[in-house]
C-alpha cells in the first residue's frame, strides 16, 4: 500500500477501548426490588385515598340526613332507672288554727264531722291522738309489741278519718305520747323506769313511764308513728318526749343508762325518729 492509503484506513477504524466498565452482578435484583417498593407505595396511597373518600361520604350523608331531611341522629338506647316514689307531706299552713281531738272523741259518731265543720270559722288543722297518755293506740297497728301489751284499740277508723279530714282540705297532725306509757311499762316491765327495789316507778297520778335510754322503747314509738304516716297523717307530734318529772324522781333507776347527759338523750331519739 501506498503511505496515503495506510493512513486512510487507520483513521476509519473505531477507537480502541482503553478501560472496561465495571459490571454489578446484583443490578437486576436491585432493580426488581425498587420496582416492587414503588408498587407497594402506590397501593397504600390508593387504599388511604379510598378510606378517606368513604369517611367523607359518611360525614356528608349524616349532615344531609340531619339538616336537610330533618332526620334525628340515632342514639343508643339508655335504660333510665325508675325514680323511687317518696311520700310528700301536705303543705304546712301559713297560720295554724287547730283543735286537739282525743281518740275517744274521734270514736263518737258524727263528732269528728263537728270539728271539721269548724272550717267555716277558719279552722285549718286537726290534731288527732294516735297514742295517748294511757298508752292506748287509737286504731289497730302492725306493731307486734302493741298487740302483745293490748295497746292497739279500735277507737276510730284511721283510714276513714284521714280521708275525711283531707277531703275538707285540713292539715292533720298525729299526736303520739312517747315515754309516759302505763300500758307498755306494765306489759313489758323490762322497758319501764324502775325503783331501787326493782319494781315499777309510778308518778303522782299512778302512771308508769318507759325508759328513755332504752332503744327498744324508741323503736316501739317510731314503729307506731310510721304506721300513722303510711295512713296519711301529715305530721307526727311526739308528746311527753322527755324524762319523768312529776313524782319522787329521786327514787328512779334507769336500766341501760348511758354515760351521757339527759339533755343528749332526747335529741338522739328525735334524730333516730
Amino acid at each position: 500500500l501506498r503511505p496515503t492509503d495506510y493512513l486512510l484506513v487507520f483513521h476509519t477504524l473505531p477507537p480502541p477501548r482503553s478501560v472496561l466498565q465495571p459490571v454489578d452482578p446484583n443490578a437486576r435484583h436491585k432493580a426488581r426490588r425498587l420496582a416492587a417498593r414503588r408498587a407497594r407505595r402506590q397501593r397504600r396511597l390508593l387504599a388511604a385515598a379510598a378510606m378517606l373518600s368513604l369517611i367523607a361520604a359518611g360525614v356528608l350523608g349524616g349532615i344531609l340526613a340531619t339538616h336537610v331531611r330533618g332526620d334525628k341522629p340515632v342514639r343508643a338506647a339508655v335504660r333510665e332507672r325508675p325514680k323511687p316514689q317518696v311520700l310528700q307531706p301536705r303543705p304546712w299552713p301559713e297560720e295554724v288554727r287547730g283543735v286537739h281531738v282525743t281518740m275517744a272523741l274521734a270514736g263518737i259518731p258524727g263528732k269528728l264531722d263537728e270539728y271539721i265543720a269548724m272550717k267555716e270559722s277558719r279552722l285549718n288543722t286537726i290534731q288527732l291522738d294516735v297514742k295517748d297518755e294511757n298508752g292506748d293506740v287509737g286504731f289497730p297497728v302492725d306493731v307486734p309489741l302493741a298487740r302483745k301489751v293490748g295497746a292497739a284499740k279500735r277507737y276510730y277508723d284511721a283510714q276513714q278519718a284521714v280521708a275525711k279530714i283531707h277531703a275538707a282540705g285540713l292539715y292533720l297532725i298525729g299526736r303520739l305520747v312517747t315515754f309516759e306509757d302505763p300500758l307498755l311499762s306494765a306489759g313489758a316491765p323490762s322497758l319501764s323506769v324502775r325503783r331501787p327495789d326493782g319494781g315499777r316507778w309510778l308518778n303522782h297520778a299512778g302512771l308508769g313511764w318507759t325508759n328513755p335510754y332504752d332503744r327498744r322503747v324508741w323503736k316501739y314509738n317510731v314503729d307506731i308513728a310510721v304506721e300513722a304516716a303510711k295512713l296519711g297523717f301529715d305530721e307526727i307530734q311526739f308528746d311527753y318526749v322527755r324524762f319523768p318529772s312529776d313524782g319522787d324522781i329521786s327514787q328512779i333507776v334507769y336500766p341501760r343508762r348511758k354515760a351521757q347527759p339527759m339533755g343528749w338523750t332526747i335529741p338522739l331519739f328525735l334524730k333516730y325518729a
Side-chain angles (χ1 to χ4, degrees), residues 148-248:
K148 179 180 178 181
V149 300
K153 305 293 177 59
R154 293 184 179 272
Y155 280 98
Y156 61 90
D157 186 325
Q159 190 171 5
Q160 183 179 0
V162 169
K164 186 178 293 187
I165 291 169
H166 282 168
L170 302 179
Y171 189 83
L172 178 58
I173 298 174
R175 176 177 177 258
L176 197 153
V177 175
T178 309
F179 295 124
E180 182 179 276
D181 193 329
L183 267 177
L184 185 61
S185 66
S190 63
L191 305 180
S192 68
V193 172
R194 305 290 188 84
R195 297 194 310 264
D197 61 3
R200 274 195 313 140
W201 180 89
L202 303 176
N203 63 9
H204 287 320
L207 302 177
W209 279 64
T210 54
N211 185 3
Y213 288 109
D214 197 321
R215 286 181 175 260
R216 294 174 297 175
V217 177
W218 294 12
K219 185 178 185 305
Y220 174 74
N221 286 280
V222 171
D223 285 349
I224 295 172
V226 168
E227 291 289 305
K230 287 180 177 179
L231 286 168
F233 282 77
D234 300 310
E235 178 180 324
I236 300 297
Q237 180 216 347
F238 292 103
D239 204 353
Y240 288 77
V241 55
R242 59 177 176 81
F243 286 81
S245 60
D246 52 333
D248 188 359

Side-chain angles (χ1 to χ4, degrees), residues 39-53:
R40 285 197 302 270
R41 187 179 303 165
Q42 187 175 8
R43 286 196 300 269
R44 289 174 183 171
L45 290 174
L46 290 174
M51 183 63 69
L52 290 174
S53 299

Side-chain angles (χ1 to χ4, degrees), residues 104-163:
L105 286 174
I108 298 175
K111 196 64 177 178
L112 188 59
D113 295 322
E114 293 180 14
Y115 290 109
I116 293 175
M118 294 175 65
K119 178 182 176 182
E120 301 300 324
S121 300
R122 301 181 66 197
L123 182 87
N124 61 16
T125 303
I126 286 182
Q127 182 200 55
L128 181 58
D129 272 346
V130 171
K131 175 170 170 272
D132 66 6
E133 295 89 339
N134 296 317
D136 288 331
V137 180
F139 48 88
V141 289
D142 189 18
V143 180
L145 186 54
R147 294 196 299 266
K148 179 180 178 181
V149 300
K153 305 293 177 59
R154 293 184 179 272
Y155 280 98
Y156 61 90
D157 186 325
Q159 190 171 5
Q160 183 179 0
V162 169

